[in-house]
Amino acid sequence: MNLNPTFGSIFLATALVSSAAAAPKKFVIDNQKLAYRNVASIESVADFETFTGKTNAVSGWISYDAATKKGSGKIVVDPATIDTGIPLRNEHMRSAGWLDTSKYPQIVFEAVKVQPTRGDEYKVTGNFTLHGVTKKVSTTVRVRYKAQGPATKAAGFDGDVVQLSTKFAISLDDYGISIPANAAGKVAKEVTISLSTYAIAN
Amino acid sequence: MSKKAKLAKLALVAGTTIAVVSALGLGVVPSIRESYASRAILTQRVQVDSAGSSLFGDGSTAIGSPQLMIIDDPKAVVLGTDKSKVRQVDDSYLQAHKIYPLQLKTVDFTINLVRMTMMATFVFGLFVALVAKNVRAKASNPA
């Protein structure tokens, strides 16, 4: 079959544009200028007290297509920056008996399966790595998208914005972290991991 | 008075004192707890970022879950209440002013511990006093 060269070029260009439109966009988490907007936390609810460790040191990327609701991503948190509000407890948490942050400097969640559920919620299954141990975790993630415009600019974002938030519980035992007897009642065996982060596509 | 009777008298005084002090302590504990409970408010620590959060209609980002806390600095509670009547507390303010609010559950835990200790000392004091009283009675009246 002979194609008219002009028609062929238009066809090819249209096909490329269509495929580009359908491809998920890559959003990068700004861990410099807008880092304070990213909040990762770990909450322990024990008999003596409830404490929450928080950090803004979140990095990574999200691939997301708002039209097809497909996506993937990788989020990295620096455990050495988690602040529980008490300096001595921070030191303990970073030490070899707990998170051992010098040996395991990253907490990572990497999505392997993303399924839209309802509205802006997705069931995301991924590999969660903590203390050098990787386990499969399923969680509900809320993903919200805003195309670049006056609202995103007013909020200080330079590009399309994706905001995602999630919360899931893990057992510290599963990740090789055992609670010493002297901390029993002060630290729960099961903790809740929460994340709220913004990613930008320029 | 024999040495045994003297010792028994001493033990009687000590036991009675321990029991009375413990009983008084047990009586005071509820009012101490109440003084803390009356100041405790249900709070949610939040990260305030009005510009970023307003992009999606959120007021702020929650950190952890709501807790009953005793916060003496009213400036920390800057955001009033949310829909579920939980007072929002600015986490940045707490960090900047090195405030680590006392939780009511910590007060309860400590008070329960004190209560159990006082109950134990009350029983111990009572036991010592009763034994001493018997010994003293026998010592002063050997027949």
Side-chain angles (χ1 to χ4, degrees), chain A residues 149-187:
Chain A
T152 56
K153 201 171 179 184
F157 295 107
D158 185 21
D160 296 353
V161 180
V162 158
Q163 195 270 339
L164 61 89
S165 52
T166 188
K167 186 186 275 193
F168 56 91
I170 58 155
S171 167
L172 292 177
D173 278 344
D174 291 346
Y175 293 86
I177 302 166
S178 48
I179 298 163
N182 62 355
K186 291 181 181 173
V187 184

Short mmCIF file of all heavy atoms in Angstrom, two decimals, chain A residues 149-187:
data_model
loop_
_atom_site.label_atom_id
_atom_site.label_comp_id
_atom_site.label_asym_id
_atom_site.label_seq_id
_atom_site.Cartn_x
_atom_site.Cartn_y
_atom_site.Cartn_z
N GLY A 149 -1.93 25.74 36.72
CA GLY A 149 -2.82 26.88 36.49
C GLY A 149 -2.62 27.90 37.60
O GLY A 149 -1.71 27.76 38.43
N PRO A 150 -3.49 28.91 37.63
CA PRO A 150 -3.34 29.95 38.66
C PRO A 150 -3.37 29.39 40.09
O PRO A 150 -2.64 29.87 40.97
CB PRO A 150 -4.55 30.86 38.41
CG PRO A 150 -4.93 30.61 36.99
CD PRO A 150 -4.58 29.19 36.70
N ALA A 151 -4.23 28.36 40.31
CA ALA A 151 -4.34 27.80 41.67
C ALA A 151 -3.05 27.12 42.10
O ALA A 151 -2.60 27.29 43.25
CB ALA A 151 -5.49 26.80 41.72
N THR A 152 -2.45 26.36 41.19
CA THR A 152 -1.19 25.67 41.55
C THR A 152 -0.08 26.69 41.75
O THR A 152 0.76 26.54 42.63
CB THR A 152 -0.77 24.65 40.47
OG1 THR A 152 -0.66 25.33 39.22
CG2 THR A 152 -1.75 23.51 40.37
N LYS A 153 -0.10 27.75 40.89
CA LYS A 153 0.93 28.79 41.01
C LYS A 153 0.79 29.53 42.34
O LYS A 153 1.78 29.80 43.03
CB LYS A 153 0.80 29.76 39.84
CG LYS A 153 2.06 30.55 39.58
CD LYS A 153 1.98 31.33 38.31
CE LYS A 153 3.27 32.12 38.11
NZ LYS A 153 3.24 32.98 36.93
N ALA A 154 -0.47 29.83 42.70
CA ALA A 154 -0.72 30.54 43.96
C ALA A 154 -0.25 29.71 45.15
O ALA A 154 0.15 30.25 46.18
CB ALA A 154 -2.20 30.85 44.09
N ALA A 155 -0.33 28.38 44.99
CA ALA A 155 0.10 27.50 46.08
C ALA A 155 1.61 27.26 46.06
O ALA A 155 2.13 26.53 46.90
CB ALA A 155 -0.64 26.18 46.00
N GLY A 156 2.29 27.85 45.09
CA GLY A 156 3.74 27.75 45.05
C GLY A 156 4.28 26.60 44.22
O GLY A 156 5.47 26.30 44.28
N PHE A 157 3.41 25.94 43.46
CA PHE A 157 3.86 24.80 42.65
C PHE A 157 4.09 25.25 41.20
O PHE A 157 3.25 25.94 40.63
CB PHE A 157 2.82 23.68 42.67
CG PHE A 157 2.61 23.07 44.02
CD1 PHE A 157 1.45 23.33 44.75
CD2 PHE A 157 3.55 22.23 44.59
CE1 PHE A 157 1.24 22.77 45.99
CE2 PHE A 157 3.36 21.67 45.84
CZ PHE A 157 2.20 21.94 46.54
N ASP A 158 5.19 24.79 40.66
CA ASP A 158 5.52 25.16 39.30
C ASP A 158 5.29 23.96 38.38
O ASP A 158 6.23 23.29 37.95
CB ASP A 158 7.00 25.61 39.25
CG ASP A 158 7.38 26.13 37.88
OD1 ASP A 158 6.48 26.51 37.12
OD2 ASP A 158 8.60 26.14 37.57
N GLY A 159 4.03 23.67 38.06
CA GLY A 159 3.71 22.53 37.20
C GLY A 159 2.44 21.84 37.67
O GLY A 159 1.78 22.28 38.62
N ASP A 160 2.11 20.74 36.98
CA ASP A 160 0.97 19.93 37.42
C ASP A 160 1.30 19.33 38.80
O ASP A 160 2.47 19.01 39.07
CB ASP A 160 0.71 18.79 36.43
CG ASP A 160 0.29 19.30 35.06
OD1 ASP A 160 0.09 20.52 34.91
OD2 ASP A 160 0.18 18.47 34.14
N VAL A 161 0.27 19.17 39.59
CA VAL A 161 0.51 18.68 40.97
C VAL A 161 -0.30 17.42 41.25
O VAL A 161 -1.48 17.33 40.88
CB VAL A 161 0.12 19.75 42.01
CG1 VAL A 161 0.38 19.25 43.43
CG2 VAL A 161 0.87 21.04 41.78
N VAL A 162 0.34 16.47 41.89
CA VAL A 162 -0.35 15.29 42.42
C VAL A 162 -0.11 15.27 43.92
O VAL A 162 1.03 15.45 44.36
CB VAL A 162 0.17 13.99 41.76
CG1 VAL A 162 -0.11 12.79 42.64
CG2 VAL A 162 -0.48 13.77 40.42
N GLN A 163 -1.19 15.12 44.66
CA GLN A 163 -1.05 15.00 46.11
C GLN A 163 -1.51 13.60 46.48
O GLN A 163 -2.58 13.16 46.04
CB GLN A 163 -1.90 16.05 46.83
CG GLN A 163 -1.56 16.25 48.30
CD GLN A 163 -2.35 15.36 49.24
OE1 GLN A 163 -3.40 14.84 48.88
NE2 GLN A 163 -1.83 15.16 50.44
N LEU A 164 -0.70 12.90 47.21
CA LEU A 164 -1.16 11.57 47.63
C LEU A 164 -1.01 11.40 49.13
O LEU A 164 -0.09 11.94 49.74
CB LEU A 164 -0.49 10.46 46.85
CG LEU A 164 1.01 10.25 46.88
CD1 LEU A 164 1.37 9.33 48.01
CD2 LEU A 164 1.42 9.60 45.57
N SER A 165 -1.96 10.67 49.68
CA SER A 165 -1.91 10.40 51.11
C SER A 165 -2.34 8.97 51.38
O SER A 165 -3.21 8.43 50.68
CB SER A 165 -2.81 11.37 51.87
OG SER A 165 -4.09 11.38 51.32
N THR A 166 -1.73 8.38 52.37
CA THR A 166 -2.05 7.00 52.73
C THR A 166 -1.69 6.75 54.19
O THR A 166 -0.97 7.53 54.81
CB THR A 166 -1.30 6.00 51.82
OG1 THR A 166 -1.77 4.68 52.08
CG2 THR A 166 0.21 6.02 52.06
N LYS A 167 -2.20 5.65 54.69
CA LYS A 167 -1.96 5.26 56.08
C LYS A 167 -2.09 3.74 56.15
O LYS A 167 -3.04 3.18 55.61
CB LYS A 167 -3.02 5.91 56.95
CG LYS A 167 -2.83 5.72 58.44
CD LYS A 167 -4.01 6.29 59.20
CE LYS A 167 -3.88 7.76 59.47
NZ LYS A 167 -4.87 8.25 60.46
N PHE A 168 -1.13 3.09 56.78
CA PHE A 168 -1.24 1.64 56.96
C PHE A 168 -0.47 1.21 58.21
O PHE A 168 0.44 1.91 58.65
CB PHE A 168 -0.74 0.87 55.72
CG PHE A 168 0.65 1.18 55.29
CD1 PHE A 168 1.72 0.45 55.77
CD2 PHE A 168 0.91 2.22 54.40
CE1 PHE A 168 3.03 0.74 55.39
CE2 PHE A 168 2.22 2.52 54.00
CZ PHE A 168 3.27 1.77 54.49
N ALA A 169 -0.88 0.07 58.73
CA ALA A 169 -0.25 -0.42 59.97
C ALA A 169 0.73 -1.54 59.64
O ALA A 169 0.49 -2.33 58.72
CB ALA A 169 -1.31 -0.92 60.93
N ILE A 170 1.81 -1.58 60.40
CA ILE A 170 2.77 -2.68 60.26
C ILE A 170 3.15 -3.18 61.65
O ILE A 170 3.04 -2.45 62.63
CB ILE A 170 4.06 -2.24 59.52
CG1 ILE A 170 4.75 -1.06 60.24
CG2 ILE A 170 3.80 -1.90 58.06
CD1 ILE A 170 6.21 -0.97 59.98
N SER A 171 3.60 -4.42 61.67
CA SER A 171 4.09 -4.96 62.93
C SER A 171 5.62 -4.84 62.92
O SER A 171 6.28 -5.26 61.96
CB SER A 171 3.68 -6.43 63.05
OG SER A 171 4.38 -7.03 64.09
N LEU A 172 6.19 -4.26 63.98
CA LEU A 172 7.64 -4.07 64.02
C LEU A 172 8.38 -5.41 64.00
O LEU A 172 9.46 -5.53 63.44
CB LEU A 172 8.04 -3.26 65.27
CG LEU A 172 7.59 -1.79 65.28
CD1 LEU A 172 7.97 -1.13 66.60
CD2 LEU A 172 8.22 -1.01 64.12
N ASP A 173 7.75 -6.43 64.60
CA ASP A 173 8.34 -7.78 64.60
C ASP A 173 8.63 -8.26 63.19
O ASP A 173 9.64 -8.90 62.92
CB ASP A 173 7.38 -8.78 65.28
CG ASP A 173 7.50 -8.72 66.79
OD1 ASP A 173 8.50 -8.17 67.28
OD2 ASP A 173 6.58 -9.22 67.47
N ASP A 174 7.68 -7.96 62.28
CA ASP A 174 7.81 -8.41 60.89
C ASP A 174 9.05 -7.84 60.21
O ASP A 174 9.52 -8.36 59.20
CB ASP A 174 6.58 -8.01 60.06
CG ASP A 174 5.34 -8.78 60.47
OD1 ASP A 174 5.49 -9.79 61.19
OD2 ASP A 174 4.23 -8.39 60.05
N TYR A 175 9.53 -6.73 60.74
CA TYR A 175 10.67 -6.06 60.12
C TYR A 175 11.94 -6.21 60.98
O TYR A 175 12.88 -5.42 60.87
CB TYR A 175 10.34 -4.58 59.86
CG TYR A 175 9.25 -4.47 58.81
CD1 TYR A 175 7.90 -4.52 59.17
CD2 TYR A 175 9.56 -4.36 57.46
CE1 TYR A 175 6.90 -4.46 58.22
CE2 TYR A 175 8.55 -4.31 56.49
CZ TYR A 175 7.24 -4.36 56.88
OH TYR A 175 6.24 -4.32 55.93
N GLY A 176 11.91 -7.21 61.82
CA GLY A 176 13.11 -7.52 62.61
C GLY A 176 13.41 -6.52 63.71
O GLY A 176 14.56 -6.40 64.15
N ILE A 177 12.38 -5.79 64.14
CA ILE A 177 12.59 -4.83 65.24
C ILE A 177 11.85 -5.34 66.46
O ILE A 177 10.62 -5.40 66.47
CB ILE A 177 12.08 -3.41 64.86
CG1 ILE A 177 12.78 -2.92 63.59
CG2 ILE A 177 12.29 -2.43 66.02
CD1 ILE A 177 12.14 -1.71 62.96
N SER A 178 12.62 -5.74 67.48
CA SER A 178 11.96 -6.24 68.68
C SER A 178 12.07 -5.20 69.79
O SER A 178 13.08 -4.50 69.90
CB SER A 178 12.57 -7.57 69.11
OG SER A 178 13.96 -7.47 69.13
N ILE A 179 11.01 -5.12 70.57
CA ILE A 179 10.95 -4.10 71.61
C ILE A 179 11.61 -4.63 72.88
O ILE A 179 11.18 -5.64 73.43
CB ILE A 179 9.49 -3.69 71.88
CG1 ILE A 179 8.91 -3.08 70.61
CG2 ILE A 179 9.39 -2.70 73.03
CD1 ILE A 179 7.43 -3.00 70.59
N PRO A 180 12.65 -3.93 73.37
CA PRO A 180 13.30 -4.40 74.60
C PRO A 180 12.36 -4.30 75.81
O PRO A 180 11.42 -3.49 75.79
CB PRO A 180 14.51 -3.47 74.76
CG PRO A 180 14.35 -2.39 73.78
CD PRO A 180 13.27 -2.73 72.82
N ALA A 181 12.63 -5.11 76.81
CA ALA A 181 11.74 -5.18 77.99
C ALA A 181 11.57 -3.80 78.64
O ALA A 181 10.47 -3.47 79.10
CB ALA A 181 12.29 -6.18 78.99
N ASN A 182 12.64 -3.00 78.67
CA ASN A 182 12.53 -1.70 79.36
C ASN A 182 11.68 -0.68 78.60
O ASN A 182 11.37 0.38 79.11
CB ASN A 182 13.92 -1.12 79.68
CG ASN A 182 14.75 -0.86 78.43
OD1 ASN A 182 14.34 -1.19 77.32
ND2 ASN A 182 15.91 -0.29 78.62
N ALA A 183 11.33 -1.02 77.34
CA ALA A 183 10.48 -0.10 76.56
C ALA A 183 9.05 -0.63 76.43
O ALA A 183 8.21 -0.01 75.79
CB ALA A 183 11.07 0.13 75.19
N ALA A 184 8.79 -1.80 77.04
CA ALA A 184 7.44 -2.37 76.97
C ALA A 184 6.46 -1.41 77.64
O ALA A 184 6.74 -0.87 78.70
CB ALA A 184 7.42 -3.71 77.67
N GLY A 185 5.34 -1.18 77.00
CA GLY A 185 4.34 -0.24 77.53
C GLY A 185 4.55 1.17 77.01
O GLY A 185 3.66 2.00 77.06
N LYS A 186 5.78 1.42 76.50
CA LYS A 186 6.07 2.75 75.96
C LYS A 186 6.04 2.76 74.44
O LYS A 186 5.82 3.81 73.83
CB LYS A 186 7.44 3.23 76.43
CG LYS A 186 7.51 3.54 77.91
CD LYS A 186 8.90 4.02 78.26
CE LYS A 186 9.01 4.32 79.75
NZ LYS A 186 10.39 4.61 80.12
N VAL A 187 6.31 1.61 73.83
CA VAL A 187 6.30 1.50 72.37
C VAL A 187 5.41 0.32 71.98
O VAL A 187 5.53 -0.77 72.54
CB VAL A 187 7.73 1.27 71.81
CG1 VAL A 187 7.71 1.25 70.29
CG2 VAL A 187 8.69 2.34 72.31
#
